[in-house]
């Protein structure tokens, strides 16, 4: 294994980053890491990833192999402390691996975190415009028009002139999503972006995100603790074990014929995944 990453040396522009700091489911089990042998222009390609924070410390991630295809929606699921967010941060280039390689052949990623982290003195539209400006859109008129289009894509056409404190939590997350989309990256990494929202708002944002994903064709890696959320959104769901973090099992819901718009089928898939998650939690509790 080779130390280091092969990601864009400039790293991602994270959503919320200060620019100054700049049918019915089957078992679905697959080999850890999924389609590790696939080659070509993948969106993400991770090989032999190992992470520990110091030489004497415990291994956080151990032997992660993962490939994500262009336009694919993958959910990372696991108990707290299993290394999901660490894996996402390494993929984004925000942290370095101890061993292994991370490649983003289609270019660097955009990142959306749990907190919207909008600039409070800017309106919703100006928050999105800022991402466009950092992305090289020089014309102010073009930035304004494009920002309005992006806000419309997340059903916020009428909120462009409002500041973050005037928006609900769900609306702030929609602005953060629009800002992440403004970066025009082929890969979007999402770290529990809806975890703090109530169930109804979360379900509405699931629908919005699904529409945006289908329309834009971006590859998405979505970290969550919520099994139903993973089953509702992911074409593939990867369950991570803890101490150290490894990919313990994979469900390819699309290949299994699960209709993720069908609540009954989603519930059946979530029940199966939950049973396997409980096994992992019991194993790690020993």
């Amino acid at each position: 294994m080779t130390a280091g990453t092969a990601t864009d040396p400039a790293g991602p522009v994270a959503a919320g980053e200060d620019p100054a700091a700049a049918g019915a489911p089957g078992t679905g089990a697959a080999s850890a890491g999924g389609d590790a042998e696939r080659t070509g222009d993948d969106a993400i390609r991770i090989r032999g990833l190992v992470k520990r924070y110091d030489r004497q410390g415990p291994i956080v991630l151990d032997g992660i192999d993962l490939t994500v295809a262009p336009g694919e929606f993958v959910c990372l699921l696991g108990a707290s402390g299993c290394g999901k967010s660490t894996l996402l941060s390494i993929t984004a280039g925000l942290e370095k691996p101890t061993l292994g390689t991370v490649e983003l052949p289609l270019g660097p990623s955009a990142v959306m975190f749990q907190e919207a982290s909008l600039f409070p003195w800017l309106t919703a539209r100006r928050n999105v415009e800022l991402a466009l400006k950092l992305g090289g859109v020089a014309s102010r008129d073009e930035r304004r028009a494009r920002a309005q289009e992006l806000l419309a894509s997340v059903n916020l056409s009428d909120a462009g002139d409002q500041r973050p404190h005037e928006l609900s939590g769900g609306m702030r997350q929609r602005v953060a999503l629009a800002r992440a989309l403004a970066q025009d990256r082929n890969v979007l990494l999402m770290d529990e972006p809806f975890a703090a929202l109530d169930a109804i708002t979360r379900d509405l944002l699931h629908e919005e995100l699904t529409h945006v994903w289908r329309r834009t064709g971006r590859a998405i890696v979505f970290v969550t603790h919520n099994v139903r959320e993973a089953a509702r959104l992911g074409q593939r769901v990867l369950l991570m074990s803890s101490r150290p973090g490894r990919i313990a099992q994979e469900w390819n819901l699309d290949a299994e014929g699960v209709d993720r718009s069908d609540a009954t089928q989603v519930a059946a898939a979530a029940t199966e995944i939950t049973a396997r998650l409980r096994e992992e939690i019991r194993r790690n509790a020993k």
Side-chain angles (χ1 to χ4, degrees):
M1 293 180 287
T2 305
T5 67
T7 54
D8 185 281
V13 180
E17 184 178 359
D18 187 336
T27 57
S31 60
D35 305 324
E37 298 304 315
R38 185 167 52 201
T39 59
D41 287 334
D42 300 306
I44 300 172
R45 194 180 305 129
I46 298 173
R47 297 290 180 267
L49 180 62
V50 175
K51 176 65 176 179
R52 66 166 83 219
Y53 285 103
D54 58 69
R55 276 183 198 174
Q56 305 305 318
I59 296 175
V60 178
L61 297 171
D62 186 26
I64 301 290
D65 292 314
L66 173 63
T67 300
V68 177
E72 188 175 25
F73 200 129
V74 175
C75 286
L76 288 177
L77 178 70
S80 295
C82 71
K84 303 184 299 297
S85 293
T86 299
L87 177 56
L88 203 76
S89 292
I90 293 172
T91 304
L94 301 174
E95 294 188 39
K96 293 183 178 180
T98 303
L99 293 170
T101 60
V102 178
E103 298 175 278
L104 277 67
L106 301 182
S109 62
V111 186
M112 183 176 171
F113 298 107
Q114 182 171 342
E115 296 293 332
S117 300
L118 304 175
F119 296 109
W121 59 89
L122 297 179
T123 64
R125 184 170 49 248
R126 292 294 300 278
N127 267 280
V128 179
E129 285 183 43
L130 178 59
L132 291 166
K133 183 176 182 179
L134 293 172
V137 180
S139 166
R140 183 173 182 179
D141 289 342
E142 184 180 351
R143 290 197 303 268
R144 182 181 178 88
R146 180 63 180 142
Q148 191 60 38
E149 290 175 4
L150 287 164
L151 289 173
S153 76
V154 294
N155 281 334
L156 283 179
S157 297
D158 298 330
D161 293 324
Q162 293 179 278
R163 287 181 169 77
H165 73 275
E166 299 175 288
L167 303 173
S168 68
M171 294 171 76
R172 288 193 293 271
Q173 287 301 90
R174 291 184 189 201
V175 176
L177 176 57
R179 185 174 56 185
L181 295 173
Q183 296 170 42
D184 200 24
R185 304 294 174 86
N186 289 308
V187 177
L188 175 57
L189 307 177
M190 308 183 76
D191 192 1
E192 298 191 76
F194 308 145
L197 303 176
D198 63 89
I200 294 175
T201 302
R202 190 164 58 240
D203 282 349
L204 290 172
L205 286 176
H206 288 168
E207 294 179 10
E208 296 295 338
L209 178 59
T210 299
H211 292 323
V212 167
W213 164 64
R214 287 175 176 164
R215 184 172 59 252
T216 63
R218 284 168 169 79
I220 296 178
V221 178
F222 189 103
V223 166
T224 181
H225 287 96
N226 188 308
V227 177
R228 181 183 175 278
E229 183 170 65
R232 167 68 178 82
L233 293 173
Q235 292 178 293
R236 284 195 292 153
V237 177
L238 306 182
L239 175 64
M240 291 186 64
S241 62
S242 302
R243 295 180 293 182
R246 299 186 178 104
I247 298 177
Q249 189 163 339
E250 173 183 330
W251 289 263
N252 191 326
L253 300 185
D254 273 10
E256 293 290 338
V258 177
D259 181 353
R260 287 172 290 117
S261 65
D262 185 318
T264 300
Q265 293 188 37
V266 168
T271 297
E272 179 184 340
I273 297 169
T274 298
R276 184 66 177 86
L277 174 60
R278 287 174 176 168
E279 289 178 11
E280 282 298 320
I281 292 173
R282 285 195 295 267
R283 184 182 65 81
N284 289 311
K286 294 178 181 179

